[in-house]
Amino acid sequence: MRLSAFFAPTLREDPAEAEVPSHRLLLRAGFVRPVAAGVYTTLPLGLRSMRKIERIVREEMEASGAIELRMPILLPADPWKATGRYELYGETLFRLTDRHERDMLLGPTQEEVVTEIVAAELPSYRDLPINLYQVEWKYRDEFRPRFGLLRGREFLMKDAYTFDRDEEGMRRSYDAMLRAYHRIFDRCALSYVVVEAEPGQIGGDVNHEFMARAEVGEDLFVECANGDYLADRKAATPMPPEHVDVGEPHPLERVHTPNAATINAVSALLGLPAERMLKTMLYDAGGRTVAVLVPGDREVEEAKLERVLFPTPVRPFDEDDFRVRGFVRGYVGPQGLDGEATVLADHSVRGGADWVTGANEADHHVTGANTPRDFRIDRYEDLVALRDGDRCPVDGGQLRIGRSIVVGHIYQLGTRYSGPLGATFVDEDGTNRPYQMGSHGIGISRILAAAAEQFHDDQGLRLPKALAPFEVVVISANADDDRVAAETERIYGELSSRGVDVVVDDRGERAGVKFADADLVGYPVHIVVGSRGVAAGTADLKLRASGDRSQASLTDAAEAAVALLSSAP
RNA sequence: CGGGCCGUGGCGCAGCUUGGUUAGCGCGUCUGACUGGGGGUCAGAAGGUCGCCGGUUCAAAUCCGGCCGGCCCGACCA
């Protein structure tokens, strides 16, 4: 490819709308241009990188036995109503109506479509297992598209769907995807972690997220400094604190705490640390009152509470709940709860005694609250929000919270879709059984952004060679020098014939512009041919990742570039 | 959706507070000259319904209202 006959518009200045590095650099380097919020045109350079990611994904999917097909983006709403996702997805679903007033939507994922086609065409256990996948654009009307390609309303995704006879088969298919995903992200050279995560709107049970480490990541994960524990932050369980022996329990005493409706206020008033307080959070779970007890310095992780109470929906008390059910906000204590309420306590509550907690009347707290003497705990559960510095449940090491971008997510769905859609096959014994399904996504366009986050510096992008739009650039530093032009062409031709993905910068620009662009776009290997070098019989080489420069004779330049490329990340 | 910031030639910005002649600057673009290994210099030129609609006013980029669009912070997801 010749840059003189290509379309790679670069920006000299940072676009005003871009804050995060990947967004800024993908715009500046000419990979994408905005069309609307969260919607982008993929320019030629960006498309080349995206195609390279797609290729890696396809190769590994095929190697794992998956079969590619292509499903429509424009979908009828009915199957979505059957699985309940038409409502569940809510505002995030792009809905439209056709001329016959039929409800349609733009596919955010394609479980419904693939399940129906498999049910129609693969009715026998002999047809199973099967793994069907596609690479297609997905549409989600995100509340807040942001960070360029990191969270668009349109994004390119590889989605694979597995169908098995039984749960054991489903787990085997799942493991095959897990292994394939590792190979894919390894080949993309991403720094990533794999954690168990929340099922979200896809539903199902066991699932893992592949998270690319990134400062700007929106997803938090937790890891132990000793490397033996890794989890989604919302699912992470800290090791509970040691039980502190306070000796003989103090008596329960009521104390006057005017205008102290917060933990901090009570703590300041009584001169006691927040962890001595017992925080009583009230929730409504399908009409029932649920009290959650955590130490005063901790927060409740509502995602954990939802899982504990699943499938009953949970919401925090609002002002009306407090009033109608007779609780005083800011002064709630578990000793005032009757048998109608469920009392859940985090494991960390086991470690304490002589709690300070609400007296269930305005401006009063109690001290010396102890269970079971003063209040009842129905169940201990893991309910606290994990925070930096908590102790690892495996070895007690320091936990820290890392930020990441979810680039892949795999699910064991079971019969979440095959059930409601009536998708069954005939098993060996002649009975109809629903398919045991799995669903496996990879954000192709997001990988590009995540890679840009991980691989860049002040000069621009420096994507790994597996993802860079070209592997090598040959720059003619003096475009109007005939001998330079001739040598540039010769080296370019030699690299092409060796099968290197090479581009030549034969534009009429000045050398400085070409150098700056080469760094900005981040070609892994740069070869510079100029008047000085040609006179001396040499070309200059640069490895973008390290900035290391070297020289080679003009005749060896292509060879040297190939060698340098093999050493490039 | 709640909160904050912002819409001025292709891009980045100033001007708006305190309304008043032809709306400026840098980059980019075009022409010419000089130049030629890290976004070069000089001379000249083109390019703007100041997001849209309405209001106030003798007069609006500037003040007021509404709407649209974009970005950033919070609850969902690849």
Side-chain angles (χ1 to χ4, degrees):
Chain A
M1 186 57 68
R2 293 166 198 286
L3 283 186
S4 63
F6 197 57
F7 180 48
T10 54
L11 300 174
R12 188 165 177 173
E13 288 171 281
D14 285 334
E17 78 235 34
E19 301 259 321
V20 303
S22 65
H23 190 195
R24 208 177 67 231
L25 290 170
L26 291 172
L27 286 168
R28 276 195 63 199
F31 281 53
V32 297
R33 286 292 181 269
V35 173
V39 182
Y40 291 84
T41 292
T42 310
L43 298 179
L45 287 174
L47 190 60
R48 290 185 70 94
S49 282
M50 234 180 257
R51 293 266 196 260
K52 290 190 177 186
I53 298 166
E54 281 183 54
R55 183 170 173 184
I56 291 170
V57 169
R58 285 199 168 90
E59 284 175 3
E60 295 301 340
M61 291 306 291
E62 301 284 336
S64 75
I67 306 161
E68 185 168 7
L69 81 172
R70 194 262 154 186
M71 290 177 269
I73 292 166
L74 182 64
L75 303 170
D78 282 347
W80 285 72
K81 291 177 178 169
T83 57
R85 288 213 297 174
Y86 195 68
E87 275 68 41
L88 255 176
Y89 244 97
E91 301 274 284
T92 307
L93 201 58
F94 267 110
R95 298 151 197 267
L96 55 157
T97 311
D98 70 13
R99 64 171 68 210
H100 305 292
E101 298 291 312
R102 278 187 290 249
D103 290 334
M104 308 286 287
L105 55 96
L106 299 181
T109 68
Q110 257 83 350
E111 279 84 0
E112 283 80 358
V113 183
V114 74
T115 303
E116 293 205 322
I117 194 142
V118 166
E121 309 298 337
L122 302 173
S124 164
Y125 75 95
R126 296 175 200 273
D127 301 320
L128 305 179
I130 192 165
N131 182 344
L132 298 173
Y133 83 100
Q134 66 170 348
V135 177
E136 194 49 84
W137 292 89
K138 298 288 182 282
Y139 295 82
R140 295 183 191 173
D141 196 1
E142 299 281 351
F143 280 139
R144 184 148 92 88
R146 64 178 140 178
F147 301 155
L149 257 41
L150 281 177
R151 180 197 284 282
R153 292 193 294 175
E154 179 189 72
F155 60 97
L156 188 59
M157 175 163 129
K158 184 285 302 177
D159 42 329
Y161 305 92
T162 59
F163 295 81
D164 278 272
R165 272 177 85 176
D166 50 33
E167 292 188 28
E168 194 196 327
M170 173 182 74
R171 283 191 287 273
R172 262 199 308 276
S173 296
Y174 186 82
D175 288 340
M177 284 294 96
L178 189 73
R179 289 193 299 274
Y181 274 39
H182 272 288
R183 288 192 296 272
I184 288 165
F185 296 116
D186 288 344
R187 285 180 65 183
C188 289
L190 287 175
S191 167
Y192 67 96
V193 296
V194 185
V195 304
E196 266 197 73
E198 295 288 315
Q201 277 153 358
I202 307 281
D205 190 11
V206 175
N207 73 100
H208 286 86
E209 283 182 331
F210 287 72
M211 307 169 112
R213 293 173 190 273
E215 289 295 312
V216 302
E218 300 178 85
D219 284 84
L220 304 178
F221 67 93
V222 173
E223 65 184 335
C224 175
N226 304 326
D228 55 9
Y229 184 74
L230 202 56
D232 182 275
R233 195 191 63 96
K234 286 185 179 176
T237 306
M239 178 180 273
E242 307 278 315
H243 178 80
V244 188
D245 192 2
V246 291
E248 201 61 22
H250 292 200
L252 188 69
E253 283 178 30
R254 182 165 162 275
V255 292
H256 187 49
T257 52
N259 300 316
T262 64
I263 294 287
N264 284 343
V266 179
S267 173
L269 194 69
L270 302 180
L272 288 168
E275 56 261 38
R276 293 291 316 285
M277 316 285 153
L278 187 61
K279 191 190 283 188
T280 307
M281 300 295 288
L282 297 178
Y283 294 86
D284 175 279
R288 274 182 71 93
T289 299
V290 173
V292 177
L293 309 182
V294 296
D297 59 332
R298 310 292 313 214
E299 301 298 327
V300 175
E301 182 61 74
E302 290 184 13
K304 290 180 179 178
L305 181 62
E306 284 172 17
R307 199 166 42 221
V308 164
L309 298 175
F310 186 84
T312 311
V314 193
R315 60 171 176 79
F317 263 29
D318 58 27
E319 295 297 342
D320 283 348
D321 292 316
F322 279 100
R323 204 182 59 245
V324 171
R325 303 189 203 190
F327 292 101
V328 188
R329 176 167 238 167
Y331 300 93
V332 179
Q335 68 285 3
L337 296 163
D338 58 24
E340 293 300 302
T342 304
V343 185
L344 303 176
D346 182 72
H347 295 298
S348 54
V349 172
R350 289 185 209 265
D354 287 337
W355 296 102
V356 176
T357 191
N360 296 304
E361 60 177 297
D363 298 333
H364 287 84
H365 281 76
V366 295
T367 61
N370 288 279
T371 186
R373 186 191 68 193
D374 307 314
F375 62 92
R376 173 186 104 249
I377 289 174
D378 294 321
R379 262 152 68 202
Y380 284 97
E381 297 281 357
D382 171 31
L383 293 165
V384 287
L386 194 129
R387 65 185 179 195
D388 226 38
D390 273 343
R391 296 175 57 207
C392 169
V394 177
D395 69 353
Q398 278 258 317
L399 291 179
R400 53 170 183 247
I401 295 177
R403 304 187 74 90
S404 70
I405 298 159
V406 177
V407 287
H409 203 162
I410 56 178
Y411 295 91
Q412 292 180 18
L413 295 173
T415 58
R416 165 69 180 85
Y417 294 88
S418 49
L421 291 170
T424 59
F425 64 95
V426 183
D427 211 345
E428 201 167 1
D429 60 7
T431 59
N432 284 300
R433 296 188 203 288
Y435 300 96
Q436 291 288 333
M437 292 175 54
S439 160
H440 313 281
I442 288 183
I444 306 268
S445 47
R446 188 181 268 186
I447 287 178
L448 178 57
E453 289 294 336
Q454 290 188 2
F455 303 100
H456 71 269
D457 58 24
D458 292 345
Q459 315 310 315
L461 297 170
R462 47 178 193 201
L463 296 176
K465 62 187 169 194
L467 272 51
F470 293 97
E471 293 172 321
V472 176
V473 62
V474 187
I475 297 170
S476 69
N478 311 87
D480 52 2
D481 181 325
D482 290 344
R483 290 193 305 158
V484 168
E487 279 304 313
T488 304
E489 277 301 310
R490 193 187 58 70
I491 293 168
Y492 168 56
E494 188 178 338
L495 285 167
S496 294
S497 61
R498 280 168 171 263
V500 174
D501 191 14
V502 59
V503 64
V504 57
D505 194 347
D506 57 346
R507 295 176 299 169
E509 298 288 346
R510 299 173 63 87
V513 173
K514 295 184 180 183
F515 296 152
D517 275 353
D519 286 338
L520 179 58
V521 173
Y523 309 103
V525 171
H526 305 182
I527 306 177
V528 182
V529 181
S531 303
R532 271 188 345 223
V534 168
T538 60
D540 299 322
L541 288 89
K542 180 169 123 175
L543 188 63
R544 175 66 179 90
S546 63
D548 291 346
R549 292 159 199 269
S550 53
Q551 269 194 350
S553 73
L554 285 170
T555 45
D556 295 341
E559 177 79 46
V562 170
L564 199 54
L565 182 61
S566 71
S567 75

